[in-house]
Amino acid sequence: MAIQSVFIVSDNYAVLPEFCAGAKNLAESVTAIVFGDEAAAKEYVSCGADKIIYCPVSDEGAPEDYAKIIAELVKEQPKAIVMINNSIRGRCLAGKLSVYLDTAVLGSVNELSVENDVLSCRRVVYGGTAQRKESFTGNYGVSTISSGIFEAPAEASGNAEILPIPGEPTAPIRRISRNEKKEGAVNLVASKRIVDVGRGLAAEEDLEMCRNLAKVLDAEVGCSRPVAENNKWMPKACYLGITGVQVKPELIVVLGVSGQVQHIGGINKSKVIVAINKDKAAPIFKNADFGLIGDMYKIVPALIEKLS
Amino acid sequence: MKIIACCKIVPNEEEITVLPDRTLAMADASLKISQYDLNALESGKKLAAESSGTMTALSIGSSAYLENSKIRKDILSRGADELSLVMDDSHDFSDSLQTAKAIAGAVKAIGSYDVVLCGAGSSDLYLQEVGIQAGTLLGVPVVNNVTGIKIASDSSLEVERTLEEEVETLEVPLPAVLSVSSEINVPAVPSMREIMKAGKKPVNVLDIDAEIAPSVSTAEQLAPEQQERRQEIVEGDNEEAVDALVSFLKKEGF
Ligand SMILES: Cc1cc2nc3c(=O)[nH]c(=O)nc-3n(C[C@H](O)[C@H](O)[C@H](O)COP(=O)(O)OP(=O)(O)OC[C@H]3O[C@@H](n4cnc5c(N)ncnc54)[C@H](O)[C@@H]3O)c2cc1C
Ligand SMILES: Nc1ncnc2c1ncn2[C@@H]1O[C@H](COP(=O)(O)O)[C@@H](O)[C@H]1O
């Protein structure tokens, strides 16, 4: 049996058709709450929602400011689940809403199902060591979901009723300025071959060597989280792992990555894993089909030469 | 400024044993400070120094975790002046809101504060929610994914927050709760002197007044199915070793 109502809250219009299609399989009524003006909402009239509620956001304000008003709207239903786009703003909205609805957040869930009128979610815990299945015990639940867990519908359908949100938000935080950030994007999910670079790389310039290896292998370059996040040597969209991109190429050559669970969780669906690491005790070797214990600075140039 | 930095104690996930039925055994895993809470402690240390203020570290958990003196010392060697603990063996805190309620209760018990700092997410649950929830419960401004903090005045901070496609600068009135991104700093390794001093710093066990019933139940927790790997390992970085790799790649059809 399906649950009665799902509210989808998203700071990104593009995910609406996919989220609404997924929610339709779980619930009888689907309301989408979006941020922007009426004209933007109208473009998504066929996203599959029964109702679209739009929240105008001023220059100094933010979508998060609407949390309390959204919670009031949800509480008009005796029971409801709120599914929120798993972005940074989305997680902020989720945390606030969960307090106003007095329920937990089940975050970054990768599977949702309804049994006996109760929503269960599956999510990764302990850095990828386990999957946990949990369900909400009260009348309300909040979960954050990423694009990709629901099948996108083949074509647009439906004719949503479009309404403005009742009420205006107040916020103590003022935005002073905003700057667009430009980071290159690559589609590692679709790559057949990947060279995966870790903190064994000593300097940013040495990425060139890894790119050259990728070139002779006809591969894309991915990395571990600290290479992108702390060193900022690669865009964040390039890091692999449970909190990064999960890939399943035919070949992945892993250079100077220790192979901690959080990273392995992003690459363990690869068909063949080759690891190069100078530490023979590195856990990556337990997850490799072929491992070379040695210095990547000696191995990679020799490998490029032999493969070219 | 008076700063409270939240840090969770967790089992080291690299040391959790997966049993043949795919359930987990934690007993052999050593304890550690949740990885990204080291960034919260580091931010707090810096902010306390810049404002000639103080930092209290705060941790919620079971007594089995929080009575560990090595862990207490580890926390206190990272810039905190004192450590406050909420020890509770009657809840398992697998629900983020429960933890947030305990943190909000603890912050009230501590009394006055200017900034509560949380990490990006806990190493075990990684919900990335507890900071936002605790701040909302306290009724103060909250910001997540903070990548920079500047003192703007006695009663406000200028906060840089990095979103997926933009960086925003916010004026945040105090008190406030900030969840810092793991990009914000590189946590320093405690010096010998800091480790020595840590043993002498005060530890307070708090009594909190908070209703913390769970709102989720766990049906199942299992390790994912393991993919078998061949683990053909060659030692060396000489020509022979590279040749072995090349012939492996050829054999596999690459
Ligand atoms: C909640 C949470 C989520 C996380 N999510 C992710 C995630 O999604 N993805 C991710 O990657 N990480 C993630 N992490 C971080 C993860 O725990 C590790 O810190 C990270 O993966 C380590 O990256 P690394 O292997 O590149 O660096 P290190 O662990 O520092 O390993 C570097 C390796 O390089 C080797 N090396 C050094 N020099 C050489 C050389 N010359 N030749 C060959 N080998 C060399 C070393 O022996 C070492 O094994 C997460 C952590 C937490 C707490
Ligand atoms: N039990 C706890 N004790 C202290 N701080 C915590 C606890 N649980 C979570 N936190 C803080 O909240 C942040 C986010 O946690 P989470 O929402 O579980 O990912 C962590 O990085 C900590 O700073």
Side-chain angles (χ1 to χ4, degrees):
Chain A
M1 198 171 73
I3 46 177
Q4 229 168 24
S5 349
V6 165
F7 288 83
I8 289 169
V9 181
S10 181
D11 58 342
N12 173 6
Y13 288 96
V15 299
L16 288 178
E18 180 190 337
F19 284 12
C20 291
K24 267 283 175 213
N25 287 331
L26 303 169
E28 279 156 25
S29 115
V30 177
T31 303
I33 299 178
V34 296
F35 303 93
D37 59 13
E38 185 174 6
K42 275 194 172 144
E43 285 183 36
Y44 282 84
V45 64
S46 310
C47 68
D50 300 303
K51 221 189 260 180
I52 299 178
I53 296 176
Y54 62 92
C55 313
V57 180
S58 71
D59 264 356
E60 289 194 347
E64 301 87 287
D65 304 340
Y66 278 100
K68 196 157 207 166
I69 302 175
I70 296 172
E72 294 308 323
L73 213 68
V74 174
K75 277 197 262 185
E76 287 174 10
Q77 305 297 322
K79 273 185 99 159
I81 297 293
V82 187
M83 292 180 190
I84 305 182
N85 181 37
N86 190 16
S87 62
I88 293 162
R89 280 196 198 293
R91 288 193 292 272
C92 187
L93 268 162
K96 290 184 169 196
L97 272 168
S98 82
V99 169
Y100 299 134
L101 296 171
D102 197 26
T103 186
V105 179
L106 292 176
S108 315
V109 305
N110 48 41
E111 198 185 300
L112 297 111
S113 56
V114 173
E115 289 153 40
N116 302 324
D117 212 13
V118 172
L119 181 81
S120 296
C121 302
R122 246 179 227 283
R123 60 183 310 268
V124 161
V125 290
Y126 297 108
T129 311
Q131 287 260 359
R132 192 181 273 184
K133 185 177 173 188
E134 291 161 291
S135 47
F136 294 104
T137 53
N139 290 332
Y140 300 103
V142 177
S143 64
T144 60
I145 54 179
S146 300
S147 177
I149 68 167
F150 296 128
E151 198 91 36
E155 55 193 81
S157 69
N159 186 13
E161 183 185 354
I162 296 179
L163 303 164
I165 187 116
E168 265 180 53
T170 51
I173 297 176
R174 191 175 67 89
R175 177 163 44 221
I176 302 168
S177 66
R178 64 202 297 176
N179 283 310
E180 255 181 63
K181 178 173 85 170
K182 286 211 171 55
E183 283 200 333
V186 276
N187 190 4
L188 287 166
V189 177
S191 306
K192 294 264 178 280
R193 298 176 182 191
I194 294 173
V195 169
D196 174 14
V197 187
R199 232 172 358 190
L201 197 75
E204 188 173 3
E205 304 85 81
D206 304 341
L207 260 180
E208 205 44 44
M209 168 180 88
C210 305
R211 292 216 172 90
N212 288 337
L213 177 63
K215 219 173 280 163
V216 298
L217 283 170
D218 194 18
E220 301 286 346
V221 182
C223 63
S224 69
R225 182 164 165 166
V227 169
E229 218 170 52
N230 301 90
N231 298 346
K232 302 189 170 58
W233 292 347
M234 290 195 56
K236 268 188 283 177
C238 288
Y239 83 78
L240 312 178
I242 56 152
T243 52
V245 187
Q246 281 124 49
V247 295
K248 35 182 188 309
E250 296 181 350
L251 172 70
I252 186 162
V253 180
V254 187
L255 308 171
V257 171
S258 58
Q260 294 186 37
V261 282
Q262 297 93 348
H263 190 82
I264 297 297
I267 65 168
N268 59 6
K269 293 211 169 70
S270 309
K271 201 154 154 261
V272 175
I273 300 183
V274 169
I276 298 172
N277 194 303
K278 66 178 182 187
D279 173 12
K280 80 156 76 134
I284 187 68
F285 290 122
K286 289 207 180 61
N287 290 286
D289 293 295
F290 189 91
L292 215 48
I293 303 169
D295 184 351
M296 61 188 261
Y297 282 90
K298 292 202 184 116
I299 296 167
V300 174
L303 190 59
I304 293 170
E305 210 185 290
K306 287 195 193 283
L307 292 174
S308 337
Chain B
M1 276 180 191
K2 183 154 185 205
I3 293 137
I4 300 174
C6 297
C7 51
K8 185 174 190 178
I9 303 309
V10 295
N12 186 341
E13 61 275 6
E14 302 289 331
E15 296 171 7
I16 294 172
T17 314
V18 176
L19 300 174
D21 65 356
R22 288 166 52 210
T23 57
L24 307 186
M26 310 277 178
D28 293 336
S30 61
L31 297 178
K32 64 169 191 182
I33 304 172
S34 182
Q35 186 172 326
Y36 296 144
D37 291 349
L38 300 178
N39 301 100
L41 287 163
E42 185 74 23
S43 293
K45 179 165 85 179
K46 198 164 151 260
L47 203 53
E50 281 169 9
S51 63
S52 312
T54 58
M55 170 161 76
T56 301
L58 171 64
S59 194
I60 317 285
S62 67
S63 56
Y65 284 10
L66 300 181
E67 262 163 12
N68 184 307
S69 60
K70 224 173 97 192
I71 281 288
R72 289 181 173 188
K73 222 169 137 175
D74 191 10
I75 298 174
L76 284 166
S77 66
R78 294 168 190 272
D81 299 284
E82 55 173 11
L83 171 62
S84 289
L85 300 171
V86 175
M87 290 201 261
D88 183 338
D89 296 333
S90 56
H91 295 100
D92 68 358
F93 294 105
S94 59
D95 159 344
S96 55
L97 186 63
Q98 246 184 326
T99 311
K101 286 179 177 174
I103 289 181
V107 169
K108 284 185 190 143
I110 291 170
S112 68
Y113 69 98
D114 295 293
V115 187
V116 175
L117 294 170
C118 285
S122 56
S123 288
D124 54 352
L125 302 181
Y126 202 66
L127 281 155
Q128 301 166 272
E129 295 289 357
V130 166
I132 300 157
Q133 291 170 318
T136 307
L137 286 161
L138 289 164
V140 302
V142 295
V143 187
N144 61 343
N145 225 56
V146 168
T147 45
I149 305 173
K150 270 196 235 150
I151 299 170
S153 73
D154 280 352
S155 59
S156 68
L157 296 176
E158 191 179 302
V159 166
E160 179 193 280
R161 180 195 200 202
T162 302
L163 299 168
E164 285 81 0
E165 274 152 17
E166 63 177 317
V167 179
E168 42 178 32
T169 307
L170 308 168
E171 184 184 273
V172 180
L174 300 178
V177 178
L178 307 179
S179 299
V180 300
S181 157
S182 50
E183 294 169 72
I184 194 169
N185 53 39
V186 178
V189 178
S191 68
M192 212 47 217
R193 211 174 88 90
E194 285 168 312
I195 295 170
M196 299 293 287
K197 269 181 20 196
K200 301 190 190 80
K201 291 180 180 175
V203 176
N204 324 303
V205 177
L206 304 174
D207 249 334
I208 61 163
D209 178 24
E211 176 59 49
I212 48 174
S215 52
V216 289
S217 69
T218 300
E220 178 187 290
Q221 173 170 291
L222 289 178
E225 306 253 17
Q226 215 43 52
Q227 168 130 12
E228 284 303 318
R229 293 288 168 190
R230 282 167 278 172
Q231 297 185 36
E232 291 174 32
I233 309 290
V234 173
E235 192 159 355
D237 35 34
N238 49 18
E239 190 167 358
E240 217 175 301
V242 177
D243 280 338
L245 172 53
V246 171
S247 54
F248 173 84
L249 290 173
K250 292 260 144 73
K251 190 183 75 193
E252 295 295 315
F254 298 113

